[in-house]
Amino acid sequence: GGDGAAAGGAKIDMDLYSRQIGTLGLETMGKLVQMKVLISGLRGLGVEAAKNLILAGPAAVALHDDELVEIRDLGSNFYFTEADVGQRSRAQASSQQLSELNPYVSVSCVSGPITAEMLAGYSVAVFFGKSQAELIRCNELCRARSPQVGFIAADCFGLCGTAFVDYGDAFSVRDKDGEEPRSAIVAGVTQENPGTVHTHHERRHGFQDGDWVTFREVQGMTQLNDSPPRQIRVTGPYSFTIEDTSGYSAYLREGLVTQVKVPKPITFSSYQRALVQPRPEGGEDLPVPDLAKFGRSEQLHIAVQAVQMYREQNGTLPSVRDAAAAEACVQLAKELNDSRKRDEGALSVDEVDEDVVRKVALFAPCMICPMAAFLGGIVAQEVVKFTGKYTPLHQCLYFDMFELLPGDLSQLPNDWHPLGTRYDDQVAILGKAFQDRVANLKLFMVGAGALGCEYLKTLAMLGACCGPDGKVTVTDMDRIEISNLNRQFLFRQKDVGKPKSLTSAAAAQAMNGDLKVHAMEGRVGADTEDTFDDPFWAGLDCVINALDNVQARLYVDSRCVWFAKPLLESGTLGTKANVQVVLPHKTQSYGDSQDPPEESIPLCTLKHFPHAIEHTIEWSRDLFEQLFVESPREVNTFMEDPAGYLAKIPSEGTGTSQLAKMRCVRRMLEQSSGPFDVCVQFGVLEFQDKFHDSIAQLLHTFPLDHRTSENTLFWSGPKRPPTPISFDPKDDLHLEFVLAAANLYAANLGISANRDKAAIAQMAARVEVPAFQPKEVKFKVDEKDTTQEGCVDDDDRARQCIAEMAELGKKMASAKRMSAAEFEKDDDTNFHVAFVSAAANLRARNYKIPEADFHKVKMTAGKIIPAIATTTAMVTGLVACELLKVVTLSSRKVEDFKNAFVNLALPLWVMSEPLPPLQTKSKEYDPIIMGPVRAKPEGFTSWEKIEINKGDITLKEFVDHLTNEVGIEVMIMSAGNACLYNAYLPAHKKRLNDKVTKLWEDITKQKLSPKKTYLTIEVSASDPDDGVDVQIPTIKFQFR
């Protein structure tokens, strides 16, 4: 399963691309590896798009930009060096490092004017920073070719970004959103016009209006089965309508309905038409990325064209901060809008927003990293969509970061003049004094993976942490793996095995030698608070999370809340991403808004009644743990102390489970010296047990016609009736299971591997399989069932077995220890995923569930989070913009900041103002304590704390202080997990004379670190007057 054969025969490197294939799927990957793309224009935006695209892995990328590198380009193109300035073209200066990103992509440079011949052989051509006339010309060249070449144009005008996609007259989308096809269990179908389908109430069907579905396994109304996909109208969470069913035979029972992705045609307008009317025929209005700026996209559509018209008339874009040129653009915008108003089919606005035009015109030549990264991620994803995966941008996007400017343009900084440095474009917008503040930022970045690499590049480009007092501390405990190279763009093949933090820090410093990075390999958590101590947190300006798990995010968030530090939080999942800005006292913290927990699969579904491939994969992953991890560990535990081990057995589980455990230990000890035949025998007998005997036993207990106490059929709805499978060495899947199981078992026993399929098939054919004998067994049928599972007469056998095992323990005292497996998802040769895949598909065959390919099993069993470079780069652009706002946090309003949710597959952008912090308020009735509760102070948030700064005081002084100053009576007081005082326990009264610090040391049995100057204390309290419960903020008890 190591190499996926793509369409057209190109091999796909499954190790490198596994996380991306988890997002895009193999079919799309097969199309992508054959694409050739031209990228013209290589300032910051061009290099960002090229980097993301090359990581994704098309066949070839050609770079086109004959302009010489300027010093200001170094502020956004991270591959330019000062030695390139005035010496090399932008294409030449970028190509070397871009080509190192992915060995499978051929990167070349082309030069000269764009011609029809030059476009030959390309799937998509992307144009950045071109004039309007040039874009119209290139778009016509792309449309004239057969087949049409996909055309994308994008540009940054300072703080305004724009993108346009034209995939021709007849483009087809295979999969509009990239979501897994949904399926539901049918509960009923009416005979009427239109027919209504009712689905099982186990869960909502999740279909949308206009979806296409197919049916299978319907009994009675068999006309529904195996017919082509049909379109549905959704009428409720458990119902939808189909065609006229009045002439069909009556529905009896069962049936599954599954969503089918049906190709959807999309027609695109030319660039020239879109200038006049950006809404394509049959398309939507312009996207509104930020709901607070309704109508802004239309204003930008006019403003950008006005600036482009100025360029046509004057030969260049307006100069930076050229007020006269900006006024000329305002006039052009008004004239343009007036002429559009007279044109029936054109887009116009009621009144041109002059400020919007000025904000585009004054900074038109500038390119800053946040905008380049944001748009570069979007554009690269649009190129990938040419494969037919996801819905392309249809057709124009406008976006601005105007919050970085003062509300009133007369307040623009005066210190904007170019100094001939890499930061000139940024200084032109934000000013030199602001740039110095950026340079001296003290940041903490947690994580140096995909997000982390992008953030370090961003800091290098912004000049953040590059000043005399600036510094970024970055920590990550991980080492680089091959699958990281597909999106963690600061790493190369030669870095595999090295620490992420040190490697990414060195790579970012190569981009800007002034960057001050302190790279560490420590975990951030309660156990490292001596490393990341109070002075460390207190000295920070802002924290950036680049994490991949909720637990670490919550911990960092709790520290930021405690030390009142801004936190920039982001995450990605495939094409989806989010940004959350956490500002002390102004917004919710990350911990205030938690995602709902993942749904777990009920145990009895896993054990006896699976109805989806996810159920069989999880069952197989559990089987792997049981057979190859827990069993060998059991043997080792037994060997260390046979008598003690056997003494514990009678008190654990049922006789049936005791017996199974001991028989397994005995078998492994007796077979520990081989030969390999015993491992094959183990594989065959496991096969027999799991896919034949246990299924036959289940059917013996619940025959196919079995009815429940309510007289309904037992095997119906989600309970799918299984069929036993008999072992056949000639069946490939059967053999794969035995091959993997035998080799994993051999590894446990310390016997060398055997990968010879033919030899193993012969050994397997010789194994004698005992005939199945049904037993009287009890099963749990659902979560509420209290039945003890197991067989009746196993208790006596278990007692007998314990006696025999004691003898064996003496005899085998000197035998070698077993080696337990450790599930490793990223090595396709270790039989781990191979075993889970074979077992999951065999169990799927038992229950007639469609089988899954190797890669799907690997992603599910390995709990691999799908990830792609485009989403990561895009989201870090948004976070970089927020970081620049944090620099002047004290003078900003909370509405300047933006949380974001993005799904590039749709594509969808939703920017919104961060929510205010959750408040603790008094309640007349609290359902948990079943009575009233008061908040002191009223409406306090998690950002507030009570400080007690009276030195190393006794518990009594502490309690009295709270009574006198806060007006509460302390009931229970704790620090972390240690309960320091409980007023309800008479024995605690004598603690009142002890010092709080001594109590802490006595109860936790730890010494207070000399660095520690305070304790964090939580108190449950009541009102001294009427005994009502009172909630108060956390207490910071400063004892030295």
Side-chain angles (χ1 to χ4, degrees):
D3 289 42
K11 279 281 199 209
I12 295 175
D13 182 331
M14 302 294 281
D15 292 329
L16 175 65
Y17 292 124
S18 64
R19 308 309 190 255
Q20 178 171 308
I21 293 168
T23 313
L24 303 177
L26 261 175
E27 182 183 2
T28 300
M29 198 63 217
K31 291 184 158 66
L32 180 60
V33 295
Q34 300 176 69
M35 271 173 62
K36 290 185 161 170
V37 182
L38 173 71
I39 293 182
S40 177
L42 284 157
R43 292 193 70 200
L45 176 52
V47 80
E48 285 279 358
K51 169 215 14 145
N52 299 330
L53 182 61
I54 290 166
L55 289 169
V61 172
L63 309 172
H64 174 261
D65 191 334
D66 295 334
E67 299 284 322
L68 292 178
V69 175
E70 299 172 56
I71 186 72
R72 67 192 186 111
D73 292 340
L74 272 66
S76 59
N77 183 318
F78 38 85
Y79 287 150
F80 292 163
T81 63
E82 289 181 14
D84 296 324
V85 175
Q87 299 297 312
R88 300 171 75 191
S89 76
R90 291 188 190 132
Q92 288 166 326
S94 315
S95 69
Q96 174 59 37
Q97 301 216 56
L98 282 171
S99 69
E100 288 171 14
L101 286 170
N102 190 336
Y104 297 103
V105 181
S106 145
V107 176
S108 59
C109 294
V110 292
S111 67
I114 302 279
T115 61
E117 296 74 53
M118 193 190 269
L119 291 170
Y122 289 107
S123 315
V124 180
V126 190
F127 300 91
F128 298 115
K130 305 282 185 259
S131 72
Q132 201 160 283
E134 177 67 355
L135 288 173
I136 292 171
R137 184 181 81 83
C138 291
N139 179 239
E140 283 171 356
L141 289 176
C142 286
R143 288 189 141 254
R145 289 208 70 86
S146 175
Q148 288 179 326
V149 174
F151 171 91
I152 297 180
D155 212 342
C156 299
F157 302 93
L159 298 176
C160 158
T162 150
F164 169 85
V165 176
D166 170 14
Y167 279 168
D169 304 323
F171 187 74
S172 175
V173 174
R174 281 184 295 120
D175 177 355
K176 65 179 196 290
D177 55 13
E179 301 294 331
E180 285 284 326
R182 292 182 164 275
S183 58
I185 295 167
V186 179
V189 189
T190 62
Q191 287 172 293
E192 57 182 333
N193 186 11
T196 296
V197 178
H198 295 279
T199 62
H200 200 278
H201 276 260
E202 183 195 37
R203 57 164 189 206
R204 296 162 171 260
H205 56 58
F207 299 140
Q208 292 175 341
D209 238 15
D211 277 351
W212 295 77
V213 300
T214 57
F215 289 87
R216 59 190 170 92
E217 300 182 18
V218 174
Q219 296 178 27
M221 196 180 282
T222 51
Q223 291 90 342
L224 296 180
N225 295 332
D226 309 325
S227 54
R230 40 171 62 78
Q231 209 168 7
I232 63 168
R233 292 292 313 270
V234 171
T235 51
Y238 304 101
S239 64
F240 56 88
T241 60
I242 50 173
E243 72 272 16
D244 180 355
T245 56
S246 50
Y248 293 178
S249 42
Y251 171 84
L252 284 175
R253 48 183 293 235
E254 304 312 325
L256 294 165
V257 55
T258 304
Q259 183 190 8
V260 182
K261 307 267 179 166
V262 170
K264 177 180 153 198
I266 300 188
T267 307
F268 289 84
S269 305
S270 70
Y271 180 70
Q272 189 150 19
R273 180 185 175 279
L275 289 173
V276 179
Q277 175 50 273
R279 187 180 68 237
E281 282 177 31
E284 312 267 323
D285 286 338
L286 287 171
V288 186
D290 185 338
L291 298 169
K293 306 179 191 174
F294 208 76
R296 174 69 56 86
S297 294
E298 288 73 11
Q299 292 287 350
L300 288 170
H301 182 71
I302 301 289
V304 166
Q305 279 184 67
V307 170
Q308 284 281 36
M309 286 161 74
Y310 178 95
R311 180 188 201 159
E312 301 290 323
Q313 292 173 6
N314 297 277
T316 61
L317 286 168
S319 307
V320 173
R321 298 283 294 264
D322 182 338
E327 289 319 303
C329 290
V330 169
Q331 279 320 112
L332 285 168
K334 289 179 169 173
E335 290 164 22
L336 175 70
N337 193 48
D338 288 342
S339 76
R340 292 279 160 85
K341 278 181 176 170
R342 294 192 290 276
D343 178 348
E344 185 90 346
L347 173 108
S348 59
V349 293
D350 294 342
E351 200 173 330
V352 169
D353 185 331
E354 297 188 15
D355 253 11
V356 167
V357 182
R358 289 190 190 100
K359 284 171 182 172
V360 178
L362 287 169
F363 312 107
C366 299
M367 169 90 67
I368 64 166
C369 171
M371 189 55 101
F374 173 71
L375 270 183
I378 291 170
V379 168
Q381 187 64 54
E382 290 304 316
V383 175
V384 171
K385 290 178 186 179
F386 193 74
T387 58
K389 181 84 170 186
Y390 310 132
T391 305
L393 176 64
H394 195 213
Q395 292 180 262
C396 305
L397 172 70
Y398 291 96
F399 188 83
D400 71 79
M401 296 181 173
F402 291 160
E403 293 77 23
L404 289 173
L405 298 170
D408 177 355
L409 284 177
S410 64
Q411 308 283 307
L412 281 173
N414 297 320
D415 54 350
W416 60 269
H417 295 278
L419 301 165
T421 73
R422 63 190 301 152
Y423 308 123
D424 279 359
D425 277 7
Q426 201 164 297
V427 168
I429 302 173
L430 303 168
K432 178 74 175 79
F434 186 93
Q435 183 61 36
D436 292 342
R437 291 180 72 176
V438 173
N440 290 315
L441 282 172
K442 293 170 198 65
L443 304 177
F444 183 26
M445 193 172 87
V446 191
L451 289 162
C453 282
E454 293 285 339
Y455 287 133
L456 281 171
K457 165 215 70 185
T458 304
L459 298 179
M461 293 298 98
L462 293 174
C465 312
C466 293
D469 299 328
K471 176 173 157 184
V472 56
T473 303
V474 56
T475 189
D476 193 314
M477 51 195 290
D478 277 359
R479 304 258 161 166
I480 298 162
E481 299 173 18
I482 288 180
S483 65
N484 299 154
L485 305 179
N486 174 228
R487 64 195 180 288
Q488 303 180 14
F489 85 108
L490 299 180
F491 307 145
R492 300 286 169 274
Q493 187 71 44
K494 64 177 193 308
D495 300 323
V496 170
K498 294 183 189 163
K500 287 187 176 180
S501 54
L502 297 165
T503 311
S504 56
Q509 282 171 319
M511 294 173 171
N512 184 345
D514 294 334
L515 182 67
K516 305 204 168 40
V517 195
H518 176 46
M520 301 173 68
E521 289 183 71
R523 211 172 77 83
V524 179
D527 51 347
T528 52
E529 284 178 13
D530 271 2
T531 309
F532 303 107
D533 54 12
D534 291 30
F536 170 78
W537 286 98
L540 297 172
D541 294 314
C542 181
V543 178
I544 300 174
N545 266 351
L547 287 159
D548 61 356
N549 69 85
V550 170
Q551 205 184 346
R553 285 190 171 102
L554 284 169
Y555 175 78
V556 173
D557 176 70
S558 70
R559 301 313 281 168
C560 290
V561 169
W562 181 254
F563 292 99
K565 297 296 175 186
L567 169 67
L568 300 175
E569 168 56 65
S570 55
T572 73
L573 176 69
T575 57
K576 302 185 185 89
N578 70 291
V579 175
Q580 186 181 352
V581 182
V582 176
L583 303 171
H585 303 287
K586 294 187 178 186
T587 72
Q588 280 194 358
S589 73
Y590 175 76
D592 277 351
S593 57
Q594 268 268 273
D595 293 336
E598 279 183 53
E599 283 181 29
S600 63
I601 305 167
L603 204 61
C604 65
T605 302
L606 280 180
K607 283 181 80 166
H608 308 303
F609 311 117
H611 52 87
I613 193 72
E614 287 73 18
H615 303 162
T616 74
I617 294 172
E618 186 156 333
W619 176 90
S620 306
R621 180 70 185 79
D622 290 345
L623 182 62
F624 177 93
E625 285 296 306
Q626 195 189 316
L627 296 179
F628 309 116
V629 183
E630 288 158 19
S631 295
R633 281 192 192 144
E634 281 287 329
V635 177
N636 293 343
T637 314
F638 170 74
M639 296 294 288
E640 269 149 38
D641 175 11
Y645 177 87
L646 294 169
K648 276 205 203 110
I649 288 268
S651 59
E652 293 173 358
T654 60
T656 310
S657 65
Q658 295 167 19
L659 203 56
K661 201 183 254 189
M662 287 187 289
R663 282 178 177 163
C664 171
V665 170
R666 174 196 278 176
R667 184 197 67 228
M668 290 188 82
L669 283 170
E670 288 172 348
Q671 297 183 342
S672 57
S673 50
F676 195 82
D677 301 58
V678 297
C679 303
V680 176
Q681 180 190 1
F682 164 83
V684 174
L685 295 178
E686 272 304 316
F687 181 102
Q688 187 67 12
D689 180 57
K690 301 298 182 284
F691 309 116
H692 184 280
D693 294 1
S694 59
I695 301 288
Q697 181 64 55
L698 189 58
L699 289 169
H700 171 76
T701 310
F702 301 113
L704 290 179
D705 55 3
H706 183 77
R707 289 186 176 267
T708 62
S709 47
E710 285 92 52
N711 202 27
T712 56
L713 275 164
F714 179 83
W715 294 109
S716 77
K719 290 193 171 74
R720 298 176 60 75
T723 317
I725 303 174
S726 297
F727 178 68
D728 172 5
K730 291 191 279 299
D731 183 309
D732 259 359
L733 186 60
H734 295 203
L735 193 58
E736 269 175 28
F737 175 86
V738 173
L739 175 74
N743 276 289
L744 289 167
Y745 187 57
N748 287 159
L749 301 178
I751 300 171
S752 49
N754 181 346
R755 294 169 185 272
D756 182 343
K757 256 189 167 168
I760 287 176
Q762 284 178 327
M763 288 182 223
R766 293 198 293 268
V767 176
E768 284 196 23
V769 178
F772 169 68
Q773 295 287 327
K775 302 191 198 64
E776 288 315 309
V777 175
K778 298 178 186 153
F779 289 105
K780 270 192 187 209
V781 294
D782 63 34
E783 292 303 279
K784 300 175 203 60
D785 190 339
T786 54
T787 310
Q788 277 267 296
E789 296 202 347
C791 182
V792 194
D793 45 7
D794 281 343
D795 295 349
D796 303 333
R797 292 188 192 142
R799 282 192 283 277
Q800 187 189 341
C801 192
I802 292 175
E804 296 166 8
M805 291 287 287
E807 286 304 308
L808 185 67
K810 293 182 192 130
K811 199 168 78 195
M812 301 283 292
S814 58
K816 60 174 193 242
R817 296 285 181 262
M818 303 283 156
S819 52
E822 206 173 308
F823 187 73
E824 172 47 68
K825 57 191 181 295
D826 278 319
D827 172 4
D828 289 349
T829 63
N830 64 7
F831 294 108
H832 293 197
V833 176
F835 173 82
V836 175
S837 177
N841 283 328
L842 282 165
R843 187 164 174 81
R845 253 180 223 185
N846 280 142
Y847 285 89
K848 292 196 187 55
I849 295 167
E851 294 170 29
D853 65 28
F854 182 87
H855 198 265
K856 158 96 180 171
V857 177
K858 174 171 168 165
M859 298 296 291
T860 311
K863 294 192 167 49
I864 295 175
I865 305 293
I868 41 176
T870 47
T871 315
T872 308
M874 184 258 340
V875 80
T876 57
L878 292 174
V879 173
C881 174
E882 300 308 305
L883 176 66
L884 290 174
K885 297 174 193 172
V886 168
V887 175
T888 51
L889 175 58
S890 51
S891 57
R892 284 191 173 274
K893 302 188 298 295
V894 74
E895 48 269 27
D896 289 344
F897 292 87
K898 300 290 174 189
N899 285 349
F901 171 78
V902 183
N903 185 348
L904 289 180
L906 299 175
L908 170 77
W909 296 268
V910 183
M911 318 286 294
S912 58
E913 183 188 321
L915 294 168
L918 293 181
Q919 294 184 312
T920 305
K921 295 184 173 160
S922 301
K923 291 184 201 151
E924 286 298 313
Y925 181 82
D926 179 301
I928 297 175
I929 63 160
M930 297 167 72
V933 69
R934 282 193 199 122
K936 278 194 175 185
E938 185 59 50
F940 71 86
T941 72
S942 59
W943 294 103
E944 290 165 63
K945 47 184 173 283
I946 294 174
E947 307 216 10
I948 298 184
N949 201 348
K950 311 203 80 173
D952 194 5
I953 53 176
T954 64
L955 178 57
K956 184 172 185 336
E957 291 170 299
F958 183 95
V959 170
D960 290 349
H961 174 87
L962 286 177
T963 306
N964 302 332
E965 301 296 320
V966 188
I968 55 162
E969 192 176 342
V970 175
M971 300 325 255
I972 299 176
M973 182 176 139
S974 58
N977 297 336
C979 175
L980 302 180
Y981 174 63
N982 184 339
Y984 299 108
L985 298 175
H988 279 210
K989 290 281 179 281
K990 60 173 186 292
R991 294 186 176 185
L992 287 166
N993 300 322
D994 287 335
K995 290 193 164 175
V996 177
T997 50
K998 179 182 180 306
L999 278 174
W1000 186 89
E1001 292 195 330
D1002 290 350
I1003 292 160
T1004 61
K1005 301 190 173 48
Q1006 294 173 12
K1007 280 297 217 211
L1008 276 164
S1009 143
K1011 278 186 163 181
K1012 195 87 179 136
T1013 61
Y1014 65 87
L1015 286 171
T1016 309
I1017 292 179
E1018 301 289 347
V1019 165
S1020 309
S1022 60
D1023 192 310
D1025 300 334
D1026 56 9
V1028 168
D1029 281 13
V1030 178
Q1031 288 181 303
I1032 62 166
T1034 303
I1035 297 168
K1036 181 178 183 185
F1037 167 52
Q1038 194 76 45
F1039 57 80
R1040 52 169 164 242

